[in-house]
Amino acid sequence: DPWSIDNVIWQIGMVQADLDHQDLVFIGRKVEDIEKAFKEGKIAMIIHIEGAPHMGEELEWLDVLYGLGVRCMGIAYSRGNEYGGGLADKIDKGLTDLGYELIDRMNKLGILIDIAHAGDKTSLEVIEYSRYPVAITHAGARALWPSRRMKPDEVIQALAERGGVFGVEAAPHTTITKNNPKHSIESVMEHFQYIEKLVGIDHVAFGPD
């Protein structure tokens, strides 16, 4: 199971082993590390998990993940899980009771919540409930391309109203548009400009994927 907690910890350990054998990239654990990397010409790598691993009710695993450097995590990766609905679900049932507990613990620890792969209903419930701004790290605007992978205006506006940031994706077959049906810098920038007009430049960034 790729989403088992054992596998996720294995992957993090393998990445850290690689990082220990070079000196360009280091794990960024706080904002100052990003600034430090910029000043020193290095790269601060933020450990991000696209969906919550299967932890059941043992949310203490989040503390372990935080201790290993995880600073950003999704709720569900496309398919729904024990915490909330994913964008691939036919019916998005929203956050579960355990999902609300997950958010509480992520907020407390300081793990940024990512709703890039969450369903629309789940996304809105996460934005409303989280005590801190959340992120959509890699997606686009559904108004420009009718795919569940893209986000509707309602979610983008709710995200921005609570101080969140939207990263515009640039992976193939994602941020395309009717004007630019072939993936290009033009199609990506059309999504960027649409979101910038909708919610303002402070709430849009790049999340190429």
Side-chain angles (χ1 to χ4, degrees):
D1 174 12
W3 293 103
S4 72
I5 189 70
D6 291 352
N7 184 55
V8 169
I9 287 173
W10 169 278
Q11 300 290 342
I12 293 169
M14 292 296 259
V15 168
Q16 299 217 25
D18 286 344
L19 292 184
D20 279 353
H21 291 87
Q22 53 76 60
D23 58 9
L24 173 66
V25 184
F26 66 95
I27 292 169
R29 292 172 180 266
K30 47 190 186 290
V31 174
E32 297 86 83
D33 289 340
I34 299 169
E35 294 163 350
K36 178 178 177 241
F38 181 74
K39 282 180 196 144
E40 295 176 7
K42 295 190 175 184
I43 296 167
M45 184 178 107
I46 310 301
I47 299 183
H48 169 267
I49 306 171
E50 287 195 274
H54 296 307
M55 302 173 282
E57 294 187 10
E58 294 176 25
L59 296 181
E60 304 83 15
W61 280 115
L62 278 175
D63 301 56
V64 175
L65 293 172
Y66 182 86
L68 293 173
V70 174
R71 293 295 179 271
C72 184
M73 191 176 83
I75 298 295
Y77 181 73
S78 296
R79 281 189 170 189
N81 57 19
E82 59 263 50
Y83 309 109
L87 56 84
D89 295 348
K90 280 193 175 74
I91 298 166
D92 175 7
K93 292 174 181 165
L95 274 176
T96 64
D97 286 358
L98 205 51
Y100 282 103
E101 289 179 36
L102 183 83
I103 289 172
D104 282 337
R105 198 155 192 129
M106 287 172 77
N107 278 172
K108 190 175 178 184
L109 285 164
I111 298 175
L112 176 65
I113 300 167
D114 178 18
I115 51 171
H117 282 273
D120 296 346
K121 184 172 189 280
T122 298
S123 295
L124 289 167
E125 289 176 1
V126 171
I127 292 164
E128 188 184 347
Y129 185 71
S130 177
R131 285 184 288 129
Y132 300 105
V134 304
I136 292 170
T137 58
H138 57 298
R142 199 177 297 167
L144 298 182
W145 193 252
S147 158
R148 284 190 195 178
R149 188 68 194 82
M150 306 290 99
K151 300 295 180 185
D153 286 4
E154 184 187 10
V155 168
I156 302 169
Q157 286 167 318
L159 178 92
E161 279 164 19
R162 298 295 299 273
V165 175
F166 192 116
V168 177
E169 187 162 34
H173 318 300
T174 53
T175 41
I176 48 181
T177 69
K178 292 181 184 76
N179 296 335
N180 291 289
K182 202 171 173 194
H183 211 255
S184 65
I185 189 72
E186 284 77 20
S187 69
V188 172
M189 287 310 298
E190 210 179 321
H191 281 268
F192 185 96
Q193 289 170 323
Y194 178 87
I195 296 163
E196 189 267 329
K197 280 198 183 82
L198 188 68
V199 294
I201 196 69
D202 290 344
H203 301 285
V204 62
F206 294 105
D209 197 13

